[in-house]
Amino acid sequence: MNAISGPARNAGRAASASLGVVQIRWLGALLVCAQLPQAPHLPLWIAAFGLLLVGLRLALLRRDRLRPDAPPARIPSWTLVLFAIAAALAVRASYGYLLGRDPSVAFLFILVGIKFLETRTVRDGTLLVALASFLLVTPFFRSQSPFAALAALPALLVLGATLDALARTPASRLARTPAEALRRTARMTFQGIPIAAVLFVLFPRIATPLWGVPAEAGAQSGLADTMAPGSISELSLSDAVAFRVDFDGVVPLPAQRYWRGPVLGRFDGREWSLMPRPGLGKLAPWTPTGISYAVTLEPHGKPWLFALDLPASLPRPHGDAADARAENYAFLTPDQQLIAHTPITQVLRYTQLSVLRQSYLPADPDEGRDYLRLPARTNPRTLALGRELRASNEGDRAVVDAAIAWFRAAPFVYTLTPPLLDRDPVDEFLFETRRGFCEHYAGAFAMMMRAAGIPARVVTGYQGGEVNPQGLYLIVRQSDAHAWTEVLVDGAWRRIDPTAVVAPSRIELGLSRAVAAGEPVPLFARLDGGWLKNAQLTFDALNHAWRRHLVGFNRDRQRELWRDLAIDRYAGWQIAAIAGALGLAWAAILLAATGVARARREREQALWHEACKRLASAGLPRLAHEGPIAYAARASRRWPQFAIAFVAIAESYAALRYGPPPARPGEREALVATLARAVDVLPPPGELRTAAA
């Protein structure tokens, strides 16, 4: 009973021991390194306040050291409790809610600072390390880029050094310098990388994640489910990435890159919106000229997915089990829009098949009636123009051609800064301002067609994209947002893009070539972005490769790698045996290297002990407080004829034992050789006694 309770009492005393100055400083450094990567994602006041709390604790520590006679500065625990409650209320007021990812992370950011203010014992420090470790993970909720990993590396190194400081006894707290502690942690981290790589490649991966980050209430950038004059032109001012595409073959021409998104069929005279229809759509039949590609979609908070016109398959997310049905993930609406069953709140990668076509047969032959409705008493001049086109042309196709010719002949201007439109926006645009962006042209053309008795609707999505020469994949940005029109002619829905009539360079060459000089084109959407754009493309390629090969290393990618390595034919226990053998081999290498280093240290220790033993036997033992240099000086005074040997022994051993790491290759070996030769010069103890006499 006593044998068991004794260690338990010792462990309890160690946990309740007071923290030293060095330990508190390491804890403060850990918190700062964990807070800084998360700070850019927080409101300014939260980031500043959390860092200020850590700085306050370190300032109080300095005050205690400068005034050792004064009582230690302490903040009452009840004050900190009230402080935490006030911080929670302030975070809720800032975000509008408290139970969610972002406000919870913000509250944790402040909470670790509050906990640091009351940390006094090793147990408190251990709990603070756990909180800091969780805070260190939170930046990955938003981004899993290489920069996020690099930003976490300093905190990881400081974390190991902090644990080392917390585990050491008070007598040894000053024995290891900060540089030594960080080097030790870095060495252990790099020693573990090969084992982590083996487990990364060989450890079986499940088809779906065990858990996921809950959806956040905040809005995200992307196409909306409505379109009004100016909505897409405002979105096009952003050069944020909407999605990236890896094609299995040749990249389609720019004029063929129509990425289909929300289809808007309801019009109230100013705004277009979704018009949901029951049932499912029909996928386009696959042809040998179809295109296969993979889309890496950024989170946009909406359920729609994007595919080239027209989709020939349902999207298949990467990582699904081999027998998973695509219908369980997404479906196709009657208007050819791909919809996921849940909003896209995290980066999603899926494979897709498309057939490049400009027309398709409707799922319901009678659906055209729903796309003829127009609000009464709005935009009367546009209504009159549509009726005039109908009266002066025979057949629907002739009406469409006449409308296109009318747009081509009128002096329209394609611009990112269209003027504001008032009560009848379509009339003002077509007959007065004639300056607009793609939503102006698509919406006006659709209304003209309905006024002429032709079913029409607006399709929103993206058009174009930029091929990154660094990775040979397509980048589609928010500045590529686009809107076009579909009309039902001769029993088929046909794509009509009035923007291509007014500004054909927008479709062929992109946004920057279509607008006039001086327009507010985003930097990374410009063709002449200079070195800054080239640097951004290089980083984007690195980030894309990181996501594909590391973050996106799922079950399917693992099976492909196993096939390439010819280990897919092995059973599970055999793969586990391979992983174990590789791990043991690496452990043997590390143990061998450690043994060699220990042997070197033992060699110098053995030589020093041999010299001390000879001198002690000759009547000159080393005193307990005496260092190598002082001991050698005392021996030199007694045996001046061996002073050179004594100095060589002391200086070599002091440099090996207490000096900085050797700066040049072979320097350590030279010092050990000098020490060995100097020890060999010393005569046996009997001769030393005779020489002294």
Side-chain angles (χ1 to χ4, degrees):
M1 182 72 176
N2 292 334
I4 298 176
S5 60
R9 283 196 300 270
N10 293 335
R13 293 193 194 100
S16 59
S18 298
L19 290 171
V21 173
V22 174
Q23 293 171 315
I24 295 176
R25 285 177 175 173
W26 275 116
L27 286 170
L30 173 61
L31 292 184
V32 171
C33 291
Q35 285 177 321
L36 286 178
Q38 182 62 45
H41 306 300
L42 298 173
L44 180 60
W45 76 268
I46 293 178
F49 190 53
L51 291 169
L52 181 64
L53 292 175
V54 177
L56 177 61
R57 179 69 171 91
L58 296 176
L60 292 176
L61 178 66
R62 179 175 176 82
R63 176 260 187 194
D64 292 341
R65 294 194 66 192
L66 294 177
R67 301 173 59 186
D69 297 334
R74 292 179 180 271
I75 300 177
S77 298
W78 63 269
T79 305
L80 295 176
V81 172
L82 296 179
F83 200 30
I85 295 174
L89 294 176
V91 170
R92 188 185 186 283
S94 180
Y95 284 90
Y97 58 104
L98 186 60
L99 298 180
R101 183 194 67 189
D102 290 348
S104 297
V105 171
F107 182 57
L108 177 63
F109 193 92
I110 298 177
L111 190 64
V112 294
I114 296 176
K115 180 61 181 176
F116 189 41
L117 286 175
E118 68 166 1
T119 298
R120 295 290 181 271
T121 65
V122 174
R123 180 182 287 109
D124 294 335
T126 305
L127 176 59
L128 196 59
V129 168
L131 292 175
S133 301
F134 187 78
L135 183 63
L136 181 60
V137 178
T138 56
F140 293 98
F141 292 167
R142 292 179 173 273
S143 173
Q144 295 86 39
S145 68
F147 278 1
L150 289 176
L153 184 58
L156 182 64
L157 297 178
V158 176
L159 174 63
T162 304
L163 290 174
D164 180 70
L166 291 176
R168 279 148 54 194
T169 60
S172 64
R173 283 174 190 167
L174 300 177
R176 186 172 289 123
T177 64
E180 292 173 343
L182 292 175
R183 279 198 301 270
R184 183 168 183 263
T185 304
R187 184 170 60 250
M188 295 176 63
T189 301
F190 285 110
Q191 288 174 353
I193 288 178
I195 297 178
V198 169
L199 294 177
F200 181 80
V201 173
L202 297 182
F203 193 84
R205 293 179 175 266
I206 60 177
T208 55
L210 291 175
W211 61 279
V213 180
E216 197 61 25
Q220 292 170 302
S221 176
L223 291 170
D225 53 5
T226 61
M227 186 192 78
S231 59
I232 296 183
S233 58
E234 181 179 353
L235 180 62
S236 295
L237 297 177
S238 168
D239 54 16
V241 175
F243 52 89
R244 300 171 178 87
V245 189
D246 294 280
F247 289 92
D248 293 340
V250 179
V251 179
L253 297 174
Q256 297 174 316
R257 301 175 198 160
Y258 280 86
W259 302 95
R260 193 180 188 90
V263 180
L264 312 178
R266 183 177 289 117
F267 184 55
D268 62 3
R270 181 179 185 86
E271 184 178 80
W272 292 84
S273 59
L274 293 174
M275 187 172 67
R277 295 180 55 80
L280 299 176
K282 297 179 181 179
L283 293 169
W286 177 252
T287 64
T289 58
I291 296 178
S292 174
Y293 52 94
V295 177
T296 304
L297 181 62
E298 296 293 324
H300 53 76
K302 303 294 190 300
W304 38 76
L305 308 174
F306 298 94
L308 284 173
D309 248 353
L310 295 160
S313 72
L314 292 178
R316 170 77 178 278
H318 277 226
D320 272 7
D323 58 349
R325 295 176 59 85
E327 292 84 350
N328 296 335
Y329 177 76
F331 61 93
L332 183 71
T333 65
D335 51 19
Q336 298 292 296
Q337 182 182 352
L338 291 172
I339 302 291
H341 289 298
T342 57
I344 309 303
T345 58
Q346 300 183 47
V347 175
L348 173 68
R349 183 174 172 85
Y350 58 90
T351 55
Q352 180 66 41
L353 301 177
S354 289
V355 177
L356 301 182
R357 295 175 54 184
Q358 298 186 14
S359 64
Y360 71 96
L361 298 177
D364 181 4
D366 298 328
E367 71 180 18
R369 293 193 299 267
D370 297 330
Y371 297 100
L372 287 171
R373 300 171 184 169
L374 286 172
R377 296 184 298 277
T378 61
N379 304 295
R381 286 183 285 179
T382 304
L383 293 175
L385 176 60
R387 297 189 185 104
E388 179 183 341
L389 291 174
R390 167 57 67 185
S392 57
N393 293 277
E394 294 288 341
D396 292 347
R397 188 180 293 272
V399 172
V400 174
D401 293 339
I404 293 175
W406 188 88
F407 270 87
R408 184 177 290 115
F412 285 103
V413 176
Y414 183 74
T415 177
L416 272 169
T417 56
L420 296 177
L421 303 176
D422 199 10
R423 187 170 180 273
D424 294 316
V426 181
D427 280 358
E428 292 182 24
F429 166 65
L430 288 179
F431 302 102
E432 297 176 17
T433 66
R434 292 187 172 177
R435 298 175 60 87
F437 202 60
C438 59
E439 69 268 29
H440 297 80
Y441 295 101
F445 192 88
M447 183 177 179
M448 286 174 57
M449 292 298 97
R450 289 191 179 188
I454 299 176
R457 62 194 181 194
V458 174
V459 182
T460 60
Y462 298 89
Q463 200 287 322
E466 177 184 20
V467 177
N468 189 341
Q470 307 295 335
L472 299 180
Y473 62 93
L474 191 72
I475 303 177
V476 179
R477 306 181 186 276
Q478 298 297 346
S479 56
D480 296 315
H482 194 56
W484 59 94
T485 308
E486 280 187 340
V487 296
L488 188 59
V489 176
D490 297 336
W493 285 105
R494 302 182 184 276
R495 183 201 308 146
I496 303 294
D497 190 353
T499 302
V501 176
V502 175
S505 56
R506 163 64 183 90
I507 308 303
E508 297 290 343
L509 301 175
L511 177 65
S512 62
R513 288 290 181 87
V515 297
E519 294 268 1
V521 179
L523 174 63
F524 297 134
R526 301 173 187 171
L527 297 178
D528 56 346
W531 68 269
L532 188 59
K533 181 175 181 179
N534 292 333
Q536 193 273 339
L537 290 176
T538 301
F539 170 72
D540 194 271
L542 175 64
N543 187 31
H544 189 53
W546 174 276
R547 283 184 174 178
R548 289 182 59 194
H549 301 301
L550 291 178
V551 179
F553 189 74
N554 49 43
R555 184 183 181 187
D556 295 339
R557 299 294 298 275
Q558 186 184 51
R559 296 292 179 178
E560 293 176 4
L561 181 59
W562 286 6
R563 285 192 293 270
D564 294 339
L565 298 176
I567 61 175
D568 58 320
R569 61 179 181 272
Y570 296 124
W573 68 270
Q574 292 174 313
I575 295 178
I578 293 173
L582 292 174
L584 290 175
W586 178 244
I589 293 174
L590 293 179
L591 289 175
T594 304
V596 171
R598 183 181 295 113
R600 291 177 179 175
R601 291 194 299 270
E602 290 175 354
R603 170 70 172 158
E604 65 198 47
Q605 286 278 51
L607 290 170
W608 170 250
H609 288 316
E610 173 64 20
C612 293
K613 182 179 178 181
R614 291 186 190 184
L615 294 178
S617 299
L620 190 68
R622 187 170 68 91
L623 303 178
H625 65 275
E626 205 167 24
I629 303 299
Y631 189 32
R634 192 157 61 94
S636 297
R637 288 192 297 270
R638 186 163 184 176
W639 292 286
Q641 64 271 38
F642 299 111
I644 296 177
F646 292 143
V647 171
I649 291 172
E651 290 182 351
S652 300
Y653 179 73
L656 289 168
R657 183 66 175 170
Y658 306 109
R664 298 185 302 274
E667 183 177 351
R668 184 178 184 85
E669 289 74 11
L671 289 172
V672 174
T674 301
L675 177 61
R677 287 194 300 269
V679 173
D680 289 340
V681 169
L682 293 181
E687 296 183 13
L688 285 174
R689 284 194 298 269
T690 303

